[in-house]
Amino acid sequence: MRTGDEQMKPLKKQVKVERPKRENVTREEALKRMKSFPKRREKFIAALKLERAETIEAIRDGLESVRQGKTMSLDQFDRKMRKKMSAPSKQ
């Protein structure tokens, strides 16, 4: 059990994100980009929705496979993959 004096360790290392340098664009280019933003935004949102739908479908397929008993134990999977990859067996 933890006491209030203990420090929690971070689960993962913190990653420093380096942002690209800002481009110097002309006023005209900036206006052009601003005008095209709604169209680009809609394409981006559509791509996210499609990816989400595909992910949900894959999860549902996996759950259905489990319901139908199309699963294998970890040991069976390990043996199958080691054979396929020509890896030595566990000792």
Side-chain angles (χ1 to χ4, degrees), residues 31-81:
L31 288 171
K32 181 180 168 186
R33 289 182 183 185
M34 283 176 47
K35 287 179 182 175
S36 69
F37 177 76
K39 188 176 182 180
R40 290 184 289 128
R41 179 178 176 262
E42 290 305 316
K43 285 182 179 180
F44 179 71
I45 290 171
L48 287 177
K49 286 180 179 179
L50 176 61
E51 184 177 336
R52 183 176 189 273
E54 290 171 344
T55 300
I56 291 170
E57 182 180 353
I59 291 169
R60 285 185 177 144
D61 289 347
L63 291 172
E64 184 59 32
S65 292
V66 169
R67 280 189 211 102
Q68 293 176 5
K70 297 179 183 176
T71 60
M72 66 175 71
S73 70
L74 183 57
D75 287 334
Q76 289 172 319
F77 175 79
D78 184 57
R79 284 192 300 273
K80 184 178 179 180
M81 288 307 294

